[in-house]
Amino acid sequence: MNLILLGAPGAGKGTQAEAISAKLGIPQISTGNMLREAVKNGTELGLKAKAAMESGALVSDEIVIGILKDRIAEPDAANGFILDGFPRTVAQAEALDAMGVQIDKVLEIYVPNERIIARMSGRRVCEGCGASYHVEYKPTAVEGVCDACGGKTVQRKDDAPETVLERLSVYEEKTAPLKGYYEKTGKLVTVTGQEEVADTRKLVFETLGIEG
Ligand code: AP5
Ligand code: MG
């Protein structure tokens, strides 16, 4: 199964991608996580991406399409993958089509903007593996320590309230048009993000036809 998760920043793409990945045994491919890793390691790619990411803007299509293309060519993606945060512009969606990638479903997670802002302030992410938590809705077993890998959980720089507002406006302008793009292919399905992570997961699994 090749899946795309679509949704505003903080809608829960990463959280649901982790759950689907664990259930189906196919990788979660998060361009955001890959870019954050590059920034942390100070690679050439990271240096190019850093300023855009910290201000809430998008990284250039050229850079992101390049890293995505390399990633889906890796052996673990041969039996399917979950794209979390890609494509984010019509140009990226067209590039994916040009690569000959067949997409089975595009799952949009819809959450109203006012809920998003509350969620971002409580989000914590693992510095090591990128896993996503929330101080209230999805706490780690031990405060500040990732359940999955034991790494340190921290707040993302782009989760500052003013940067979140900028990211939401970029989403409306650049990414929301993808709903129309995929609606035309008949592959778009929408789930409303619920108050509890487990309730959203249930809806997501039902919509994708995955046994809970
Ligand atoms: P990226 O990392 O993709 O960020 P994003 O799309 O803004 O989305 P988030 O990761 O913030 O949110 P999410 O939907 O994954 O939510 P999460 O599950 O964490 O991208 C970051 C930056 O990289 C971009 O701004 C851009 O600069 C660059 N970039 C990345 N991809 C790019 C591309 N393709 N092109 C160009 N630039 C690109 O959930 C949020 C919080 O809510 C968590 O704390 C979670 O625990 C909690 N939560 C989740 N679900 C629930 C629920 N049901 N109830 C309560 N809380 C919940
Ligand atoms: Mg994410």
Side-chain angles (χ1 to χ4, degrees):
M1 174 131 71
N2 292 336
L3 280 176
I4 291 174
L5 294 196
L6 204 60
K13 301 180 296 294
T15 303
Q16 296 305 323
E18 284 169 29
I20 302 165
S21 169
K23 189 76 194 173
L24 299 183
I26 55 176
Q28 167 195 9
I29 298 183
S30 162
T31 42
N33 286 358
M34 289 190 277
L35 291 167
R36 274 185 291 282
E37 182 71 20
V39 170
K40 193 180 89 187
N41 295 332
T43 64
E44 199 187 323
L45 173 77
L47 292 175
K48 284 188 193 153
K50 191 170 191 266
M53 291 180 78
E54 287 181 359
S55 69
L58 293 182
V59 173
S60 77
D61 286 336
E62 192 198 345
I63 291 183
V64 181
I65 291 165
I67 60 171
L68 192 275
K69 195 171 183 183
D70 291 345
R71 179 64 187 87
I72 60 175
E74 284 179 29
D76 68 332
N79 293 323
F81 47 75
I82 307 152
L83 298 184
D84 161 14
F86 184 98
R88 245 186 169 83
T89 61
V90 171
Q92 292 177 20
E94 288 169 350
L96 194 60
D97 290 342
M99 288 174 214
V101 173
Q102 296 299 318
I103 296 299
D104 296 296
K105 279 212 169 78
V106 179
L107 176 80
E108 183 208 358
I109 306 178
Y110 168 74
V111 175
N113 285 359
E114 55 276 17
R115 293 293 316 141
I116 298 225
I117 294 166
R119 280 187 190 187
M120 303 296 232
S121 59
R123 171 161 59 187
R124 299 293 180 273
V125 295
C126 175
E127 270 187 338
C129 71
S132 185
Y133 299 94
H134 191 282
V135 291
E136 186 182 344
Y137 300 114
K138 193 189 171 193
T140 50
V142 178
E143 201 187 315
V145 181
C146 176
D147 291 349
C149 77
K152 187 175 162 205
T153 61
V154 295
Q155 221 172 350
R156 266 170 54 175
K157 269 204 177 139
D158 62 351
D159 279 347
E162 59 281 11
T163 316
V164 171
L165 290 177
E166 174 61 19
R167 287 162 63 204
L168 286 170
S169 106
V170 169
Y171 178 79
E172 275 314 315
E173 187 196 336
K174 305 251 170 73
T175 310
L178 287 178
K179 285 187 265 181
Y181 185 92
Y182 287 115
E183 211 157 29
K184 281 192 221 133
T185 66
K187 288 177 180 155
L188 183 75
V189 286
T190 301
V191 156
T192 299
Q194 305 295 304
E195 220 23 61
E196 295 287 335
V197 174
D199 294 337
T200 308
R201 183 171 59 230
K202 190 163 176 282
L203 286 177
V204 165
F205 280 18
E206 275 168 14
T207 305
L208 296 177
I210 303 171
E211 302 260 326

